[in-house]
Amino acid sequence: MIEPTASPGARPKRPLMMLVGCTDRAEFQPSLHWMADHVQLEHFLDADEAHRRLLQCDRDPDWIVFAQSYASQLDPRIVAPLQRAAPLTPIVLLLGSWCEGETRSGSPLPGAARLTWCSFVPRMSVAAECWQARRASVWELPRTASDEERWSCELQHHRSGCPAQIGLVCRSPAQTDALRYTLHTAGHHVRSLDPSRDQGTACRAQGQNPLASLDVVLWADTGGSRQPRWALEQLARHAAPVPVVAVMTFPRVQDALAAQSWGVRCVISKPFQVADLLTQ
């Protein structure tokens, strides 16, 4: 397995992020607010302008982020000059909801970290914390690292020294097995829940919360009619104050806002990466 290495030496107080592309879409706004608060940001509308600036900089950016609004928007020939100018800088894609399915039916940009609009802030928050602490992270792996190597590094980084008690709500046996394996490997304890059999109403009437022993509830949308999203609203209200994390199939901004209004702490978009799950 390829191990990331941390580079010693004095650095500025904030990491430098170079952002390329149009960010007018509503789904990009939370990411922009996070950037304003946590990084030294330089924003360019096109890659040529960013490349000219990069050649003039006396410091390579810590991340080069491309805002991608729809599938196959980015041509590798446009990104290549930036990769050559800063070969050790990670390329990160801030993906809008129209980029769904690009890895299966489109032409995804090779050698780039793909972060959906709803996973960008938690993932980049971890990356910024590692940068501030001068701690090695998966971001320092070379672009040629395989998915298996990145997965192993993510699990190692997020392996919990304080295991959480996680309740899992998922109708799909295959998804349940995959989620349980990932969470167990990261050191957590998982208990499957079936809200349809939960006598929560009676317990609530007696002043008891049947989910009080849990640290978090993970709700995974199967994308089918058997588990409509109104069930998530019921679960979030029933679980409070235990936080609920929702894995949704192709969520839109309005879906995330609705979920948050019900009390859901955060939304993860399918398809997701291991780190998307473990950083929430």
Side-chain angles (χ1 to χ4, degrees):
M1 171 183 155
I2 301 174
E3 293 289 346
T5 56
S7 300
R11 291 181 297 180
K13 293 183 178 180
R14 286 190 175 192
L16 175 61
M17 176 179 289
M18 184 173 285
L19 174 64
V20 183
C22 178
T23 55
D24 292 341
R25 295 177 64 86
E27 56 199 358
F28 292 153
Q29 300 315 302
S31 299
L32 291 177
H33 293 319
W34 181 89
M35 294 176 195
D37 292 336
H38 294 87
V39 302
Q40 178 184 337
L41 181 64
E42 295 193 11
H43 187 188
F44 307 92
L45 291 180
D46 62 75
D48 289 339
E49 183 184 2
H51 182 240
R52 289 193 295 270
R53 172 58 178 157
L54 187 57
L55 294 177
Q56 299 170 357
C57 286
D58 55 1
R59 167 192 175 192
D60 284 348
D62 296 285
W63 304 285
I64 298 176
V65 178
F66 283 87
Q68 182 176 343
S69 299
Y70 52 87
S72 301
Q73 179 184 11
L74 296 178
D75 188 328
R77 293 173 295 181
I78 297 177
V79 181
L82 291 172
Q83 292 177 314
R84 288 193 297 267
L88 299 182
T89 299
I91 301 294
V92 181
L93 304 184
L94 170 56
L95 302 171
S97 57
W98 287 4
C99 298
E100 298 157 353
E102 185 181 38
T103 54
R104 297 188 299 272
S105 58
S107 301
L109 186 70
R114 300 176 59 83
L115 304 186
T116 61
W117 61 273
C118 54
S119 68
F120 184 89
V121 170
R123 290 285 302 279
M124 290 307 302
S125 296
V126 172
E129 289 172 4
C130 289
W131 188 94
Q132 293 288 355
R134 299 174 180 265
R135 188 171 66 244
S137 73
V138 69
W139 298 92
E140 296 174 60
L141 290 172
R143 295 192 186 103
T144 53
S146 67
D147 289 340
E148 183 178 357
E149 287 167 333
R150 293 183 181 278
W151 181 80
S152 298
C153 184
E154 291 285 10
L155 281 179
Q156 185 178 31
H157 177 76
H158 293 289
R159 194 178 302 277
S160 176
C162 183
Q165 301 291 331
I166 301 175
L168 176 59
V169 180
C170 183
R171 302 285 186 179
S172 166
Q175 288 186 44
T176 298
D177 290 343
L179 290 169
R180 289 179 68 93
Y181 173 77
T182 300
L183 295 170
H184 276 306
T185 305
H188 302 296
H189 303 298
V190 182
R191 174 162 62 96
S192 292
L193 303 176
D194 185 352
S196 64
R197 293 202 305 263
D198 190 357
Q199 300 301 315
T201 303
C203 293
R204 284 288 189 183
Q206 300 173 19
Q208 301 175 7
N209 183 351
L211 305 179
S213 62
L214 299 174
D215 295 303
V216 65
V217 175
L218 177 62
W219 183 90
D221 181 6
T222 60
S225 59
R226 292 184 305 164
Q227 194 182 33
R229 291 185 180 177
W230 58 259
L232 174 59
E233 179 179 4
Q234 291 184 331
L235 176 66
R237 299 189 189 283
H238 173 66
V242 177
V244 174
V245 173
V247 178
M248 287 186 167
T249 304
F250 302 151
R252 299 294 188 263
V253 173
Q254 58 268 29
D255 297 322
L257 292 176
Q260 291 169 4
S261 71
W262 303 332
V264 174
R265 185 172 70 178
C266 62
V267 171
I268 300 174
S269 174
K270 291 183 182 179
F272 63 89
Q273 301 177 30
V274 169
D276 296 332
L277 184 66
L278 298 181
T279 53
Q280 302 298 334

